[in-house]
Amino acid sequence: TTTTTTTSTTTTTTTTTTTTTTSTSTTTTTTTTSTSSSTTTSTTTSPDVATTENFPCTPKTDNCHTCNFDRTQCQICSNEMYLLDGVCVEVCPAGFEGTGRGSFNRRCVEVQAVSCTPKQDSCHTCSLDGSACILCFESKYLLDGTCVDACPDSFTSLGQGQFRRACDCEGTVSKDEVTGELSCSVDLCAPENDCFSCEVSGVACAICKNRAFLYEGACVEECPVGTVGAGRGNFNRQCVSEL
């Protein structure tokens, strides 16, 4: 008995054929198998999509002549328009005033609040922007941009007559957050205040120089009323009570 197996592959059809031959003396069986296989390849092609980035500002449009570097807002307007927050407007809104002339580079500028008026509240002259007084009259003292009747205790009163009186502080001016009152603190131990040697506490002078007199921890040029100067030379002069 002989068996023969043959396998063939094609790309179109599949056929299986079996042939059996039988005789008295010999039996032959032939088996032929045809197998067809197909492979499908899928290819997807996406077309190119063009993207365009949109900028908030485009030169020569919407009355904008020039945009800033990253083109997020306008920098210079044209056609007599005013620049306000990166946009060109025809009229400046309330609280702003227009500046500039001609067709280009006009702007809206915020109007500063005016808190000083000349010849009012004993103020003779105000600053250019009208935010503070710079010269008082009527025998008033200038203190932090306002005119007051008298200087605080920690300040020095300067001037005489009707004009140019002022409260002076040779140290640091501070303002109370609750009351709003101003105070002047002076470093009594500073060399520029004629102090030669300071106390251990570091808040008051112990020995004065430059012929200054020591009075209550400070160096003064003249002793106040009720005291007299004691000592000679450039150092260690003091104000002592009159006997």
Side-chain angles (χ1 to χ4, degrees), residues 16-219:
T16 301
T17 305
T18 304
T19 304
T20 304
T21 305
T22 305
S23 64
T24 306
S25 59
T26 304
T27 301
T28 303
T29 302
T30 303
T31 303
T32 303
T33 303
S34 299
T35 304
S36 175
S37 61
S38 61
T39 302
T40 302
T41 303
S42 177
T43 303
T44 302
T45 303
S46 299
D48 293 336
V49 178
T51 59
T52 301
E53 185 177 0
N54 295 322
F55 293 98
C57 180
T58 302
K60 307 300 188 297
T61 60
D62 297 328
N63 299 303
C64 180
H65 182 267
T66 305
C67 300
N68 62 352
F69 179 77
D70 56 3
R71 293 175 63 180
T72 57
Q73 60 182 1
C74 187
Q75 199 169 33
I76 299 177
C77 296
S78 58
N79 303 324
E80 298 184 357
M81 303 294 281
Y82 294 92
L83 181 66
L84 176 66
D85 294 333
V87 180
C88 299
V89 297
E90 185 176 358
V91 180
C92 296
F96 292 82
E97 62 179 359
T99 62
R101 296 180 179 180
S103 297
F104 297 90
N105 210 23
R106 294 190 178 193
R107 297 176 181 273
C108 293
V109 180
E110 187 175 2
V111 178
Q112 299 294 329
V114 177
S115 58
C116 177
T117 303
K119 307 302 188 295
Q120 291 186 9
D121 299 323
S122 300
C123 180
H124 182 271
T125 307
C126 299
S127 58
L128 292 177
D129 59 0
S131 61
C133 184
I134 59 175
L135 177 62
C136 298
F137 71 119
E138 297 178 342
S139 300
K140 303 297 184 179
Y141 292 90
L142 181 65
L143 175 66
D144 194 34
T146 60
C147 300
V148 297
D149 294 329
C151 297
D153 294 337
S154 56
F155 288 80
T156 303
S157 301
L158 301 178
Q160 297 178 355
Q162 293 290 321
F163 296 88
R164 299 188 182 279
R165 293 192 179 194
C167 299
D168 182 57
C169 176
E170 296 181 355
T172 303
V173 178
S174 58
K175 187 175 186 178
D176 191 292
E177 296 181 357
V178 178
T179 63
E181 294 181 355
L182 298 176
S183 61
C184 175
S185 58
V186 180
D187 184 4
L188 301 177
C189 292
E192 59 268 22
N193 292 329
D194 294 329
C195 182
F196 176 76
S197 177
C198 192
E199 291 183 353
V200 178
S201 62
V203 296
C205 188
I207 300 176
C208 297
K209 62 180 180 179
N210 299 330
R211 303 178 68 86
F213 296 94
L214 181 66
Y215 177 73
E216 295 183 352
C219 299

